[in-house]
Amino acid sequence: MINGADTAFILAAAGLVLLMTPGLALFYAGMVRSKNALGTIMQSLVLIALVSLQWVWVGYSLSFGPDLGGLVGSLAWAGLRGVTTEPSATYATTVPHLVFMIYQCMFAVITPALIAGAFAERVRFPAFVVFSLLWSLLVYNPVCHWVWGSGGWLARLGVLDFAGGLVVHATSGMAALAAVLVIGPRRGFGHASFMPHNLPMTMLGTGLLWFGWFGFNGGSALAANATAATAFVATHLGGMAGMAMWTAVEWVRLGRPTTLGAASGAIAGLATITPAAGFVGPNAAIVIGLVAGAVCCLAVNLKGRFKLDDSLDVVGIHGVGGVTGVLLLGVFASRTVNPGGVDGLLAGGGLGPLLVQAMGVLVVCVYAFAVSWLILKLTDRLLGLRVGEEGELQGLDRSEHAETAYN
C-alpha cells in the first residue's frame, strides 16, 4: 500500500541526489585550470541526460529486474515495461515503483561523473561519452544488482552497503585508477603548475554535495522512518568529522589549514560513512569520519610518490573512502541501531561480518578495475581517449566545446 509520507520523502530525496551532480560539477570545475572549467562541468551535466536514457531503456531492468542467476537482472523491465505507479512487490513497498526507479536513477547518474575527476583536463568529449555509457552498462548495472538487486549474489552472501560504498564509491574509485594508468598524466605533470583556479566554486560545490548527501544516505532507508533518521544524522557527523580530521592533519603537516583540505575532508567523510550510515549510531559515525579524514588524506598524499596524475583525487577520496567505510561497517554495525543489519566486531558479532565485507570489497574492486581497464582500452582504440597536444594546451573549453568560462 502506498504511504504518502514515504512517497514524498523519497521524491524529495531523489531531487537532492540529482542536485549532487551539478554540485559535483562545481566542485570539480573549481579545482581545474580556468581553460578547462566548462569542459569539466559538461562532463558531469551531460551524464544527467545520457545515463537517465540508459537507465530507462535497459539500466534499471539490468540492475533491479527479475534475477538471472544472481549476476544481473533480466530485461523484463526494459523501457520501464511494468514499472508503474503501483508499489513494487520487492523494492520500497510503500511507494510507487516509478518513484523507487527514479530515485535509483540519480545514483546511476552521479557514479560515472565521479570518475571524470581522475582524468580531468585531458580526455576527448566523444570518448568520454562512449566510455561512460559502456561503463554504466558493464560495471554499474551488474554491481548494483549484485549488492542491491533482489537475488544478487553478494547480497545473498550477506554483503551490506547501505547507500553506495561499494556500488558507487568503490566502483568509481577503481575505474578512476584504471583511467589514470591507461590515459597517463597531463602534459607538464610534475613540472607545470596545476593549481585550482576558483576555490570558492569548489566550496559551493562542497555545500551542494553535502546537502544532497542527506537524500543520498537518508533516502536509502526507502521510507520516512527511524532508519532514515539514523542515516541522516550519521551522514552529517561523518562529513564534519572527516573535515575536522583532514584539517587537523594538514595543519600539523603544513603548518596551516587550507580550504581545499577542509572541502576534501568533508567529501572523504561523507563518502566513507555512506555504506554504514543506516547501520551505525552517532558516535560510531564520528569515529568513521575521523578515520576517513586521516586515511584519505594519507592516500591523496601518496599519489605523488607513485607519480599518478589522479587530477582531482578520485581514487584517494572516493575509492579509498568507499572501501574503508564498507570495512568499518563490519566493525561498528549494530542490530540495536538497525535490526535489519548485523552485529559488527565491536557489537559482539565476531570477525564474520568483517570478513564478508572484505570479500565484497575484493570482488567489486577487482571486477570494476578489470572491466574499466578493458572499456578504456576499447574506447581508446575506437575513438582515441586523449585530446591532442595543441588541444590540451589550449584547454578543453575551446578545443572540445568552442566556449570559454570567462570572457
Side-chain angles (χ1 to χ4, degrees), residues 9-405:
F9 176 64
I10 303 303
L11 285 171
L16 287 171
V17 182
L18 174 62
L19 181 66
M20 294 177 73
T21 298
L24 181 71
L26 294 176
F27 180 79
Y28 279 172
M31 288 194 284
V32 299
R33 292 167 291 180
S34 60
K35 62 184 180 180
N36 295 303
L38 290 179
T40 301
I41 288 172
M42 185 62 170
Q43 288 178 344
S44 290
L45 287 185
V46 73
L47 292 181
I48 297 175
L50 292 175
V51 178
S52 294
L53 287 172
Q54 189 266 359
W55 190 250
V56 166
W57 288 338
V58 297
Y60 179 65
S61 193
L62 292 173
S63 299
F64 291 97
D67 179 62
L68 291 178
L71 297 178
V72 73
S74 75
L75 291 175
W77 295 344
L80 302 187
R81 183 171 59 250
V83 180
T84 69
T85 55
E86 292 299 313
S88 163
T90 307
Y91 307 108
T93 56
T94 61
V95 306
H97 196 173
L98 273 173
V99 172
F100 175 77
M101 180 280 300
I102 202 64
Y103 176 66
Q104 292 296 338
C105 176
M106 304 313 175
F107 285 73
V109 166
I110 196 171
T111 306
L114 293 172
I115 304 168
F119 50 67
E121 303 193 302
R122 58 197 187 274
V123 167
R124 299 179 63 239
F125 187 69
F128 170 77
V129 168
V130 170
F131 166 76
S132 298
L133 287 174
L134 288 174
W135 190 88
S136 295
L137 181 68
L138 299 176
V139 178
Y140 184 84
N141 295 157
V143 173
C144 184
H145 186 78
W146 298 352
V147 178
W148 289 340
S150 177
W153 73 278
L154 288 180
R156 290 204 309 264
L157 291 176
V159 175
L160 295 177
D161 182 6
F162 188 74
L166 285 173
V167 178
V168 175
H169 297 289
T171 59
S172 60
M174 291 304 100
L177 179 59
V180 169
L181 295 173
V182 171
I183 298 168
R186 290 166 288 184
R187 288 175 173 84
F189 177 70
H191 306 288
S193 172
F194 293 102
M195 295 296 290
H197 90 281
N198 191 334
L199 283 177
M201 181 184 291
T202 294
M203 296 306 294
L204 176 60
T206 303
L208 291 173
L209 283 167
W210 200 326
F211 180 57
W213 229 296
F214 291 119
F216 199 87
N217 290 355
S220 291
L222 300 175
N225 57 20
T227 302
T230 295
F232 192 106
V233 172
T235 298
H236 180 68
L237 296 180
M240 71 85 188
M243 180 171 66
M245 178 58 82
W246 193 305
T247 301
V249 170
E250 197 172 55
W251 206 335
V252 171
R253 287 185 64 250
L254 304 178
R256 60 182 64 86
T258 68
T259 53
L260 180 58
S264 298
I267 301 304
L270 291 163
T272 305
I273 195 59
T274 289
F279 299 118
V280 300
N283 289 302
I286 292 172
V287 174
I288 290 172
L290 292 173
V291 172
V295 171
C296 294
C297 183
L298 174 63
V300 167
N301 286 315
L302 283 176
K303 72 176 184 178
R305 182 173 300 178
F306 294 103
K307 296 182 171 56
L308 296 176
D309 188 15
D310 176 7
S311 307
L312 308 180
D313 303 325
V314 181
V315 179
I317 292 177
H318 295 282
V320 172
V323 166
T324 300
V326 172
L327 295 175
L328 291 179
L329 188 163
V331 176
F332 291 105
S334 170
R335 283 198 174 96
T336 301
V337 175
N338 185 340
V342 297
D343 283 326
L345 180 63
L346 295 183
L351 282 173
L354 179 57
L355 293 176
V356 169
Q357 294 300 104
M359 182 272 295
V361 165
L362 179 63
V363 168
V364 170
C365 287
V366 170
Y367 178 82
F369 179 84
V371 178
S372 298
W373 178 286
L374 293 173
I375 296 171
L376 287 159
K377 288 290 190 179
L378 176 63
T379 305
D380 192 34
R381 178 68 63 88
L382 295 176
L383 297 172
L385 282 167
R386 290 194 69 136
V387 296
E389 182 175 1
E390 182 179 348
E392 189 170 338
L393 292 173
Q394 190 179 46
L396 298 184
D397 292 4
R398 289 191 180 278
S399 65
E400 296 295 299
H401 305 290
E403 294 179 301
T404 180

